Amino acid sequence: MNPGEIFEIEALHSAGTYAKQPLAIVRGQGAILIDEDGKEYLDCTSGHGVANLGHAHPKIAEALFKQASTLITLFETYPNDQRAKLIAKITSLIDGLDRVFLCNSGTEAVEAALKFSRLSTRRTHFVAAMRSFHGRTFGSLSATFNKKYRQGFEPLVPGFGHVAYNNIEALENAVSGETAAVILECVQGEGGVYPASADYLHAARRICDAYGALLILDEIQSGFGRTGKMFACQNYGVTPDLLTCAKSLAGGIPMGAVLIGRKVKNLTPGVHGSTFGGNPLSCAAANAALSVMEEEDLPAQAEAKGNYLMGKLKKLASPQIREVRGLGLMIGIEMKQKAAPYLIKLQEKQILALNAGMTVIRLLPPLVISYDQIDHLVSVLAEVLNFETG
Ligand SMILES: *Cc1c(COP(=O)(O)O)cnc(C)c1O
Protein backbone atom coordinates (compact mmCIF):
# COMPACT_ATOMS: atom_id res chain seq x y z
CA MET A 1 0.00 0.00 0.00
CA ASN A 2 1.28 3.48 -0.72
CA PRO A 3 0.92 6.26 1.89
CA GLY A 4 -1.92 7.89 -0.08
CA GLU A 5 -4.01 4.74 0.12
CA ILE A 6 -3.27 4.26 3.79
CA PHE A 7 -4.45 7.79 4.67
CA GLU A 8 -7.53 7.51 2.49
CA ILE A 9 -8.72 4.20 3.96
CA GLU A 10 -8.13 5.36 7.53
CA ALA A 11 -9.95 8.62 6.87
CA LEU A 12 -12.93 6.81 5.34
CA HIS A 13 -13.30 3.84 7.64
CA SER A 14 -11.85 4.68 11.06
CA ALA A 15 -14.47 5.57 13.68
CA GLY A 16 -13.35 9.18 13.55
CA THR A 17 -12.30 9.39 17.20
CA TYR A 18 -8.64 10.17 16.48
CA ALA A 19 -6.99 13.23 14.93
CA LYS A 20 -4.79 11.40 12.41
CA GLN A 21 -1.25 12.57 11.74
CA PRO A 22 -0.06 12.89 8.14
CA LEU A 23 2.41 10.03 8.69
CA ALA A 24 1.97 6.35 7.93
CA ILE A 25 4.34 4.44 10.21
CA VAL A 26 5.08 0.88 9.15
CA ARG A 27 8.15 -0.19 11.11
CA GLY A 28 10.14 0.52 14.23
CA GLN A 29 13.56 -0.18 15.66
CA GLY A 30 14.62 0.87 19.15
CA ALA A 31 13.65 4.52 19.60
CA ILE A 32 13.08 4.99 15.85
CA LEU A 33 9.82 4.78 13.88
CA ILE A 34 9.95 4.47 10.10
CA ASP A 35 7.38 5.56 7.54
CA GLU A 36 6.40 4.00 4.23
CA ASP A 37 9.12 5.95 2.38
CA GLY A 38 11.81 4.79 4.78
CA LYS A 39 12.01 8.16 6.52
CA GLU A 40 13.07 7.83 10.17
CA TYR A 41 11.52 9.56 13.16
CA LEU A 42 12.81 9.73 16.71
CA ASP A 43 9.93 8.45 18.82
CA CYS A 44 9.48 10.54 21.96
CA THR A 45 5.92 9.26 22.44
CA SER A 46 6.48 5.50 22.96
CA GLY A 47 2.81 5.12 22.06
CA HIS A 48 1.99 7.19 25.19
CA GLY A 49 4.44 5.22 27.31
CA VAL A 50 3.98 1.72 25.92
CA ALA A 51 7.27 1.16 24.13
CA ASN A 52 9.63 1.50 27.11
CA LEU A 53 11.78 -1.31 25.63
CA GLY A 54 11.86 0.35 22.23
CA HIS A 55 10.31 -1.01 19.05
CA ALA A 56 10.83 -4.50 17.63
CA HIS A 57 12.77 -5.79 20.62
CA PRO A 58 14.05 -9.25 19.57
CA LYS A 59 13.34 -10.81 22.98
CA ILE A 60 9.66 -9.85 22.74
CA ALA A 61 9.42 -11.13 19.17
CA GLU A 62 11.03 -14.40 20.18
CA ALA A 63 8.80 -14.88 23.24
CA LEU A 64 5.68 -14.18 21.16
CA PHE A 65 6.67 -16.60 18.44
CA LYS A 66 7.48 -19.34 20.93
CA GLN A 67 4.32 -18.92 22.96
CA ALA A 68 2.07 -18.51 19.90
CA SER A 69 3.25 -21.90 18.71
CA THR A 70 2.66 -23.37 22.18
CA LEU A 71 -0.57 -21.93 23.66
CA ILE A 72 -2.21 -18.57 22.99
CA THR A 73 -5.39 -18.63 24.99
CA LEU A 74 -6.47 -20.10 28.30
CA PHE A 75 -9.12 -18.82 30.69
CA GLU A 76 -7.80 -17.93 34.14
CA THR A 77 -9.70 -20.75 35.81
CA TYR A 78 -6.96 -23.04 34.45
CA PRO A 79 -3.50 -22.39 35.91
CA ASN A 80 -0.69 -21.97 33.39
CA ASP A 81 3.14 -21.92 33.49
CA GLN A 82 3.58 -18.49 31.84
CA ARG A 83 0.89 -16.93 34.01
CA ALA A 84 2.30 -18.41 37.20
CA LYS A 85 5.76 -17.15 36.28
CA LEU A 86 4.41 -13.65 35.59
CA ILE A 87 2.34 -13.28 38.74
CA ALA A 88 5.21 -14.53 40.89
CA LYS A 89 7.52 -12.01 39.21
CA ILE A 90 5.24 -8.98 39.19
CA THR A 91 4.28 -9.36 42.85
CA SER A 92 8.00 -9.56 43.73
CA LEU A 93 8.66 -6.13 42.21
CA ILE A 94 7.12 -4.23 45.11
CA ASP A 95 6.74 -5.10 48.78
CA GLY A 96 3.26 -5.47 50.24
CA LEU A 97 1.35 -6.15 47.02
CA ASP A 98 1.14 -9.94 46.90
CA ARG A 99 -1.79 -10.60 44.56
CA VAL A 100 -2.58 -9.47 41.03
CA PHE A 101 -5.61 -9.25 38.77
CA LEU A 102 -4.72 -9.46 35.07
CA CYS A 103 -6.64 -7.70 32.29
CA ASN A 104 -5.97 -6.13 28.90
CA SER A 105 -5.64 -2.37 29.15
CA GLY A 106 -5.21 0.56 31.47
CA THR A 107 -8.83 1.49 31.78
CA GLU A 108 -9.74 -2.10 32.65
CA ALA A 109 -7.14 -2.08 35.41
CA VAL A 110 -8.69 1.10 36.82
CA GLU A 111 -12.21 -0.36 36.57
CA ALA A 112 -11.05 -3.42 38.49
CA ALA A 113 -9.37 -1.29 41.17
CA LEU A 114 -12.55 0.78 41.60
CA LYS A 115 -14.74 -2.32 41.84
CA PHE A 116 -12.35 -3.98 44.30
CA SER A 117 -12.40 -0.82 46.44
CA ARG A 118 -16.18 -0.81 46.72
CA LEU A 119 -16.28 -4.54 47.38
CA SER A 120 -13.54 -4.38 49.98
CA THR A 121 -14.77 -1.36 51.96
CA ARG A 122 -18.53 -1.66 51.30
CA ARG A 123 -18.36 2.10 50.68
CA THR A 124 -19.21 3.95 47.48
CA HIS A 125 -17.27 7.24 47.36
CA PHE A 126 -14.04 7.99 45.53
CA VAL A 127 -11.73 10.98 45.71
CA ALA A 128 -9.65 11.75 42.64
CA ALA A 129 -7.50 14.71 41.66
CA MET A 130 -8.02 17.66 39.38
CA ARG A 131 -6.09 17.27 36.07
CA SER A 132 -6.22 13.47 36.56
CA PHE A 133 -6.49 10.97 33.72
CA HIS A 134 -7.51 7.40 34.49
CA GLY A 135 -9.11 6.15 31.28
CA ARG A 136 -12.20 6.41 29.12
CA THR A 137 -14.66 3.74 30.19
CA PHE A 138 -17.42 4.88 32.54
CA GLY A 139 -15.76 4.12 35.88
CA SER A 140 -12.30 5.35 34.96
CA LEU A 141 -13.84 8.31 33.11
CA SER A 142 -15.68 9.23 36.30
CA ALA A 143 -12.31 9.37 38.04
CA THR A 144 -10.86 11.43 35.16
CA PHE A 145 -11.09 15.18 35.71
CA ASN A 146 -10.82 16.97 32.38
CA LYS A 147 -14.14 18.05 30.87
CA LYS A 148 -12.74 17.35 27.41
CA TYR A 149 -13.00 13.61 28.09
CA ARG A 150 -16.24 13.66 30.12
CA GLN A 151 -18.42 15.95 28.04
CA GLY A 152 -21.24 14.23 26.18
CA PHE A 153 -21.07 11.08 28.30
CA GLU A 154 -22.87 12.16 31.45
CA PRO A 155 -24.36 10.86 33.66
CA LEU A 156 -21.15 9.21 34.81
CA VAL A 157 -20.78 6.86 37.77
CA PRO A 158 -21.96 8.59 40.97
CA GLY A 159 -19.74 9.00 44.01
CA PHE A 160 -16.66 10.71 42.52
CA GLY A 161 -15.20 13.99 43.73
CA HIS A 162 -12.08 15.85 42.55
CA VAL A 163 -9.68 17.90 44.64
CA ALA A 164 -6.61 19.99 43.83
CA TYR A 165 -3.51 17.83 43.28
CA ASN A 166 -0.53 18.22 45.63
CA ASN A 167 -2.81 19.94 48.15
CA ILE A 168 -2.86 18.01 51.42
CA GLU A 169 -5.53 20.12 53.08
CA ALA A 170 -7.94 19.65 50.17
CA LEU A 171 -7.45 15.90 50.33
CA GLU A 172 -7.89 15.84 54.10
CA ASN A 173 -11.19 17.73 53.76
CA ALA A 174 -12.50 15.47 50.99
CA VAL A 175 -11.85 12.05 52.53
CA SER A 176 -14.36 10.71 55.07
CA GLY A 177 -15.72 7.49 56.52
CA GLU A 178 -17.71 7.13 53.28
CA THR A 179 -14.62 7.06 51.07
CA ALA A 180 -13.90 3.71 49.46
CA ALA A 181 -10.66 4.90 47.87
CA VAL A 182 -8.48 7.81 46.88
CA ILE A 183 -7.09 7.43 43.36
CA LEU A 184 -4.00 9.37 42.27
CA GLU A 185 -1.23 9.34 39.70
CA CYS A 186 2.30 9.62 41.16
CA VAL A 187 3.14 11.80 38.18
CA GLN A 188 0.13 13.23 36.39
CA GLY A 189 0.69 12.38 32.73
CA GLU A 190 -2.08 13.59 30.46
CA GLY A 191 -2.78 16.43 32.91
CA GLY A 192 0.54 18.12 32.18
CA VAL A 193 3.41 16.04 33.68
CA TYR A 194 3.12 17.08 37.32
CA PRO A 195 5.06 14.91 39.79
CA ALA A 196 3.49 14.51 43.23
CA SER A 197 5.42 16.05 46.09
CA ALA A 198 6.73 13.48 48.56
CA ASP A 199 4.77 15.14 51.39
CA TYR A 200 1.58 14.81 49.39
CA LEU A 201 1.87 11.09 48.64
CA HIS A 202 2.85 10.32 52.23
CA ALA A 203 -0.09 12.41 53.45
CA ALA A 204 -2.43 10.57 51.06
CA ARG A 205 -1.27 7.28 52.58
CA ARG A 206 -1.79 8.60 56.11
CA ILE A 207 -5.23 10.11 55.36
CA CYS A 208 -6.47 6.90 53.72
CA ASP A 209 -5.30 4.87 56.72
CA ALA A 210 -6.95 7.27 59.16
CA TYR A 211 -10.35 6.90 57.46
CA GLY A 212 -10.11 3.25 56.47
CA ALA A 213 -10.10 4.19 52.80
CA LEU A 214 -7.93 2.42 50.23
CA LEU A 215 -5.20 4.19 48.25
CA ILE A 216 -5.12 3.46 44.52
CA LEU A 217 -2.03 4.64 42.66
CA ASP A 218 -2.46 4.69 38.89
CA GLU A 219 0.95 3.79 37.45
CA ILE A 220 -0.29 3.02 33.97
CA GLN A 221 1.95 5.69 32.47
CA SER A 222 4.58 6.01 35.21
CA GLY A 223 5.19 2.28 35.71
CA PHE A 224 7.93 -0.11 34.58
CA GLY A 225 11.04 1.98 34.83
CA ARG A 226 9.75 5.19 33.26
CA THR A 227 10.48 7.37 36.31
CA GLY A 228 13.76 5.74 37.35
CA LYS A 229 12.27 3.01 39.57
CA MET A 230 10.20 0.02 38.54
CA PHE A 231 7.15 1.88 39.89
CA ALA A 232 7.05 5.63 40.47
CA CYS A 233 5.75 5.18 44.03
CA GLN A 234 9.10 3.54 44.88
CA ASN A 235 10.73 6.94 44.38
CA TYR A 236 8.59 8.12 47.29
CA GLY A 237 8.55 5.07 49.54
CA VAL A 238 4.75 4.99 49.49
CA THR A 239 2.92 1.70 48.93
CA PRO A 240 -0.69 1.84 47.75
CA ASP A 241 -3.38 -0.77 48.45
CA LEU A 242 -4.07 -1.09 44.74
CA LEU A 243 -1.59 -0.28 41.98
CA THR A 244 -2.86 -0.13 38.41
CA CYS A 245 -0.47 -0.71 35.53
CA ALA A 246 -0.67 -1.52 31.82
CA LYS A 247 1.05 0.32 28.92
CA SER A 248 4.60 -1.08 28.85
CA LEU A 249 3.93 -4.15 31.02
CA ALA A 250 4.02 -6.65 28.15
CA GLY A 251 6.53 -4.94 25.85
CA GLY A 252 3.79 -3.46 23.66
CA ILE A 253 1.31 -6.34 23.72
CA PRO A 254 -2.02 -5.26 25.28
CA MET A 255 -2.09 -6.11 28.97
CA GLY A 256 -3.19 -4.48 32.20
CA ALA A 257 -2.83 -5.47 35.83
CA VAL A 258 -3.89 -4.46 39.30
CA LEU A 259 -1.46 -5.25 42.10
CA ILE A 260 -3.35 -5.84 45.32
CA GLY A 261 -2.38 -5.22 48.94
CA ARG A 262 -3.31 -7.13 52.06
CA LYS A 263 -6.04 -4.72 53.19
CA VAL A 264 -8.14 -5.46 50.09
CA LYS A 265 -10.85 -7.93 51.06
CA ASN A 266 -13.72 -9.91 49.61
CA LEU A 267 -12.07 -10.97 46.35
CA THR A 268 -13.81 -14.30 45.87
CA PRO A 269 -14.55 -16.41 42.76
CA GLY A 270 -16.93 -14.73 40.35
CA VAL A 271 -16.79 -11.13 41.62
CA HIS A 272 -14.76 -9.98 38.63
CA GLY A 273 -13.20 -11.48 35.52
CA SER A 274 -11.95 -11.00 31.98
CA THR A 275 -12.03 -13.37 29.01
CA PHE A 276 -8.59 -12.41 27.69
CA GLY A 277 -7.11 -11.50 31.10
CA GLY A 278 -4.01 -13.52 31.92
CA ASN A 279 -3.81 -15.26 28.55
CA PRO A 280 -0.54 -17.16 28.08
CA LEU A 281 0.53 -15.11 25.04
CA SER A 282 0.37 -11.77 26.87
CA CYS A 283 1.90 -13.36 29.96
CA ALA A 284 4.83 -14.68 27.91
CA ALA A 285 5.33 -11.20 26.41
CA ALA A 286 5.22 -9.66 29.89
CA ASN A 287 7.70 -12.21 31.22
CA ALA A 288 10.07 -11.32 28.39
CA ALA A 289 9.51 -7.59 28.92
CA LEU A 290 10.17 -7.77 32.66
CA SER A 291 13.36 -9.75 32.15
CA VAL A 292 14.59 -7.24 29.55
CA MET A 293 13.82 -4.42 32.02
CA GLU A 294 16.04 -6.15 34.56
CA GLU A 295 18.79 -7.31 32.17
CA GLU A 296 19.13 -3.87 30.60
CA ASP A 297 18.43 -2.17 33.95
CA LEU A 298 15.92 0.13 32.28
CA PRO A 299 14.85 1.90 35.51
CA ALA A 300 18.47 3.00 36.12
CA GLN A 301 18.80 3.98 32.46
CA ALA A 302 15.64 6.08 32.72
CA GLU A 303 16.98 7.80 35.80
CA ALA A 304 20.39 8.57 34.27
CA LYS A 305 19.04 9.61 30.87
CA GLY A 306 16.19 11.54 32.48
CA ASN A 307 18.65 13.54 34.58
CA TYR A 308 20.85 14.12 31.53
CA LEU A 309 17.95 15.27 29.34
CA MET A 310 16.39 17.36 32.11
CA GLY A 311 19.72 19.08 32.76
CA LYS A 312 20.05 19.99 29.09
CA LEU A 313 16.44 21.17 28.83
CA LYS A 314 16.81 23.38 31.89
CA LYS A 315 19.72 25.11 30.13
CA LEU A 316 17.61 25.87 27.06
CA ALA A 317 17.18 29.56 27.68
CA SER A 318 14.14 29.93 25.47
CA PRO A 319 11.93 32.82 26.60
CA GLN A 320 9.02 30.67 25.41
CA ILE A 321 9.56 28.07 28.14
CA ARG A 322 7.70 28.55 31.41
CA GLU A 323 8.94 25.43 33.21
CA VAL A 324 10.58 22.04 32.66
CA ARG A 325 9.50 19.29 35.05
CA GLY A 326 9.22 15.54 35.36
CA LEU A 327 10.67 12.38 36.82
CA GLY A 328 13.05 10.05 34.95
CA LEU A 329 12.10 9.92 31.28
CA MET A 330 8.62 11.35 31.88
CA ILE A 331 9.26 14.99 31.07
CA GLY A 332 7.07 18.02 30.40
CA ILE A 333 8.16 21.33 28.90
CA GLU A 334 5.53 23.90 29.75
CA MET A 335 5.40 26.64 27.14
CA LYS A 336 3.99 30.12 27.43
CA GLN A 337 1.93 29.41 24.30
CA LYS A 338 0.10 26.42 22.90
CA ALA A 339 2.19 23.29 22.42
CA ALA A 340 0.54 22.11 19.19
CA PRO A 341 2.47 24.34 16.72
CA TYR A 342 5.77 23.24 18.28
CA LEU A 343 4.78 19.59 17.93
CA ILE A 344 4.09 20.11 14.24
CA LYS A 345 7.52 21.73 13.78
CA LEU A 346 9.19 18.89 15.68
CA GLN A 347 7.44 16.37 13.47
CA GLU A 348 8.67 18.20 10.37
CA LYS A 349 12.15 17.72 11.81
CA GLN A 350 11.45 14.02 12.35
CA ILE A 351 10.85 14.07 16.08
CA LEU A 352 7.56 12.74 17.41
CA ALA A 353 6.43 14.14 20.76
CA LEU A 354 3.17 14.53 22.67
CA ASN A 355 1.22 17.31 24.26
CA ALA A 356 -0.13 17.13 27.79
CA GLY A 357 -2.90 19.66 28.07
CA MET A 358 -2.74 22.80 25.92
CA THR A 359 0.68 24.19 26.71
CA VAL A 360 2.91 21.27 27.68
CA ILE A 361 5.23 19.39 25.31
CA ARG A 362 5.50 15.89 26.75
CA LEU A 363 8.52 13.66 26.13
CA LEU A 364 8.09 9.93 26.77
CA PRO A 365 10.91 8.36 24.74
CA PRO A 366 11.66 4.64 24.89
CA LEU A 367 13.99 4.04 27.84
CA VAL A 368 16.51 2.58 25.37
CA ILE A 369 16.95 5.96 23.64
CA SER A 370 20.69 6.58 23.16
CA TYR A 371 22.63 9.59 24.45
CA ASP A 372 23.29 10.58 20.84
CA GLN A 373 19.57 10.54 20.19
CA ILE A 374 18.98 12.65 23.30
CA ASP A 375 21.59 15.17 22.12
CA HIS A 376 19.88 15.29 18.75
CA LEU A 377 16.49 15.77 20.42
CA VAL A 378 17.82 18.68 22.48
CA SER A 379 19.43 20.40 19.52
CA VAL A 380 16.24 20.15 17.46
CA LEU A 381 14.17 21.35 20.42
CA ALA A 382 16.51 24.32 20.89
CA GLU A 383 16.06 25.23 17.25
CA VAL A 384 12.28 24.79 17.26
CA LEU A 385 11.61 26.52 20.58
CA ASN A 386 13.78 29.52 19.75
CA PHE A 387 12.49 29.70 16.20
CA GLU A 388 9.12 30.75 17.61
CA THR A 389 10.63 33.74 19.34
CA GLY A 390 11.48 35.07 15.90
C1 LIG B 1 -3.11 5.68 29.42
C2 LIG B 1 -3.61 5.80 30.82
C3 LIG B 1 -4.79 5.18 31.24
C4 LIG B 1 -5.68 4.43 30.29
O1 LIG B 1 -5.07 3.34 29.70
P1 LIG B 1 -5.75 2.66 28.40
O2 LIG B 1 -4.91 1.44 28.16
O3 LIG B 1 -5.67 3.67 27.30
O4 LIG B 1 -7.14 2.33 28.76
C5 LIG B 1 -5.15 5.30 32.57
N1 LIG B 1 -4.39 5.98 33.44
C6 LIG B 1 -3.25 6.60 33.09
C7 LIG B 1 -2.44 7.32 34.11
C8 LIG B 1 -2.82 6.56 31.76
O5 LIG B 1 -1.71 7.20 31.39
Side-chain angles (χ1 to χ4, degrees), residues 111 135-145 149-150 153 156:
E111 295 293 336
R136 295 171 181 269
T137 53
F138 277 110
S140 63
L141 184 59
S142 307
T144 294
F145 177 70
Y149 303 110
R150 299 164 65 97
F153 299 109
L156 298 179

Side-chain angles (χ1 to χ4, degrees), residues 35-87:
D35 75 7
E36 191 78 334
D37 301 323
K39 201 165 166 187
E40 297 192 351
Y41 295 82
L42 181 59
D43 181 14
C44 294
T45 73
S46 300
H48 288 73
V50 174
N52 285 10
L53 276 59
H55 300 284
H57 197 292
K59 295 249 167 86
I60 300 295
E62 187 194 328
L64 282 171
F65 178 79
K66 243 172 109 181
Q67 190 60 34
S69 11
T70 306
L71 184 67
I72 291 177
T73 191
L74 185 73
F75 199 67
E76 264 229 37
T77 45
Y78 299 99
N80 170 263
D81 57 339
Q82 290 295 336
R83 191 190 304 119
K85 186 176 169 193
L86 173 61
I87 66 183

Side-chain angles (χ1 to χ4, degrees), residues 49 52 218-227 229-232 243-249 293 330 367:
N52 285 10
D218 181 346
E219 295 246 18
I220 292 167
Q221 194 162 136
S222 59
F224 300 109
R226 172 66 51 193
T227 67
K229 296 274 189 243
M230 195 53 95
F231 296 109
L243 185 154
T244 57
C245 54
K247 292 205 163 97
S248 77
L249 162 57
M293 288 175 206
M330 187 168 180
L367 311 185

Side-chain angles (χ1 to χ4, degrees), residues 290-304:
L290 293 175
S291 46
V292 170
M293 288 175 206
E294 286 191 339
E295 280 159 24
E296 300 185 14
D297 204 355
L298 291 185
Q301 287 203 44
E303 183 181 22

Side-chain angles (χ1 to χ4, degrees), residues 80-93 100 102 249-250 255-257 278-279 282-288 290:
N80 170 263
D81 57 339
Q82 290 295 336
R83 191 190 304 119
K85 186 176 169 193
L86 173 61
I87 66 183
K89 182 74 210 176
I90 199 169
T91 53
S92 77
L93 296 177
V100 59
L102 298 173
L249 162 57
M255 187 176 226
N279 71 81
S282 301
C283 290
N287 283 325
L290 293 175

